[in-house]
Amino acid sequence: MRWRRRRRNVVSVAACAALALTMVACSGQSSESPSPGATSSPTTTPTATEPAETAAPVPETERIVEPLWSVSGTFAGVKDSAGDVLVSYFVSGDELMIGAFRATDGASLWSAPAGVGHAEEGAVLEAVVVGEGDVAFLRPEDADGWARLAVADAATGATIAESELLWAETRPYDCGAAACVDGHLLNGARGVWELTADGRLIASTTAYLPENSRSLGELVFSTNDRPGEMLGLGHNGQVVWERPFEEVFGSGFSTDNGWSWDTVGSTLVGQSYQRSLVENRFDYLRQMVVGLNRETGATLWRFPASNLCLDVSEPLALCTFTSGQVDWDESGAMTVLNVNAVLNGVDAETGAVKWTVPLDRKNFFDQFGRPFLSPDGSAVRYVDGGVVEIDLVTGERTELSDGSRLACEAEREIPVLAVYRGTEHRGQVVGPVVESCSVDREPLGAGFSAAAVRAGGVLVGDVFVVTTAEGLQGFRP
């Protein structure tokens, strides 16, 4: 099973009436292509009433909030940039676009065609913000698969820098106030390339990618040797440290089975998987999370049969399993069997367990289709037969009412026409959406609670922007 890093608060963007997107109105202009517009909610005059003295306040999980504006379309990867500007990918017909919107009213500021590069298909698509709020993206690939890395002003879309042609093996990413991409140039030179203000691609001054290796993020790389895969960290043009991958994780572990890397303080937190012994099966016991000293690569701690079941935080939230597996058939239908696990709050530096919460088996049924989303610093989970919000610092639990309207994430694959490895085809990018859901994770249709907006939205200025299957919505809960 390929590891996908899950991220809460991921949103996306759309296109205007001429782009065959269903929307109520358009606002804003684009010099390169039309963009979606927004509709403001009708202005209403509140009627003052005296609340009954015995009336209890409506819980934030039940208080419905109305959107300030809505934009219709297919969006993926919303990020805040500078001030009240958000940037996002969106789809026009079968063409991938990138653009910016004003968070206060949803007005389109600009849009431009974008490329997807030759990164593995199925990875979550997210906009990339660098520097003081500029947006980095690939121009569409030419007929042979070559593209240009561009950086534009997020507010205006004006090009700040644009590179020569390159073969992009990854999507652009922030490598320390600059835009970087892994790949090779027309002259055959391969490495991590950083875009300068005058449009030159130079070997990155921060990341380093040795020959016969691939980037895993956070300056970490692995070699393509099989057997004998090596794990290392490259920085300032050299290998800082390097170790056998199986020495770090154990026999049978490989990046071929999936990976994830993050940095917490001075600790590199890594996750990987063992190859499965049975076809079409994922075994919860055949995974591991490790903590490494970033400077030396030395192992600080290991948690076998564990995964990072939430976004990286401090303390880390690790699910540790004593049993469980997922089987799937040729149609993709999955069956989750005999899962037993706890949620541990783990100190990233020492590996010490600060608190433990037992998790009901119900947490792991349909988990790939509609998991709960939570505000930063908390997690919504099934515990002792009920639904609770867990404080990730203390492990304390708050029970949620049966009438709660929560935020759930639904994965969505978006077909786009792209040149992938030199062949034009209809590829897939992943752009999750947020749904209003019950405590049983059943969709509730229109209407987000204040708590769901905070859990599933991206905060841009003072507005939470939520990506739904229909488009974008802005809220002030």
Side-chain angles (χ1 to χ4, degrees), residues 61-261:
T61 55
E62 298 180 26
R63 180 173 66 86
I64 303 296
V65 291
E66 296 297 325
L68 303 170
W69 51 265
S70 299
V71 177
S72 298
T74 301
F75 297 82
V78 168
K79 287 288 184 70
D80 63 313
S81 56
D84 66 348
V85 176
L86 64 99
V87 294
S88 177
Y89 287 99
F90 61 93
V91 176
S92 167
D94 56 10
E95 184 178 20
L96 185 66
M97 309 287 290
I98 193 166
F101 295 77
R102 196 163 53 221
T104 52
D105 58 10
S108 170
L109 301 176
W110 60 273
S111 65
V116 297
H118 304 286
E120 179 183 3
E121 290 192 79
V124 175
L125 188 65
E126 293 183 326
V128 176
V129 175
V130 298
E132 298 299 319
D134 303 321
V135 57
F137 61 98
L138 293 172
R139 300 288 189 192
E141 294 80 12
D142 65 18
D144 296 319
W146 298 85
R148 299 178 188 272
L149 175 60
V151 172
D153 183 281
T156 67
T159 300
I160 296 172
E162 184 171 311
S163 76
E164 61 188 276
L165 289 172
L166 80 154
W167 187 272
E169 297 175 2
T170 66
R171 295 186 179 128
Y173 56 91
D174 181 0
C175 56
C180 283
V181 67
D182 303 353
H184 60 269
L185 309 183
L186 288 171
N187 63 11
R190 181 177 179 273
V192 178
W193 303 104
E194 181 178 317
L195 182 62
T196 65
D198 59 359
R200 291 180 298 118
L201 287 173
I202 62 173
S204 174
T205 56
T206 54
Y208 175 67
L209 191 64
E211 289 294 325
N212 192 38
S213 66
R214 60 177 171 180
S215 172
L216 306 182
E218 301 296 322
L219 306 184
V220 179
F221 65 84
S222 71
T223 66
N224 297 322
D225 303 305
R226 303 291 186 279
E229 181 179 11
M230 301 293 288
L231 178 75
L233 186 138
H235 184 51
N236 288 335
Q238 63 182 359
V239 174
V240 178
W241 54 261
E242 194 173 32
R243 297 176 59 189
F245 196 90
E246 289 190 338
E247 177 186 286
V248 176
F249 284 97
S251 177
F253 281 85
S254 170
T255 56
D256 295 340
N257 307 318
W259 76 85
S260 165
W261 288 96

Side-chain angles (χ1 to χ4, degrees), residues 319-360:
C319 287
T320 298
F321 299 83
T322 55
S323 65
Q325 67 189 53
V326 181
D327 292 340
W328 61 93
D329 59 26
E330 296 305 319
S331 71
M334 291 183 291
T335 304
V336 185
L337 301 170
N338 194 32
V339 179
N340 289 284
V342 297
L343 180 64
N344 288 316
V346 176
D347 185 284
E349 298 292 326
T350 67
V353 176
K354 296 186 173 183
W355 50 262
T356 298
V357 174
L359 296 173
D360 292 355

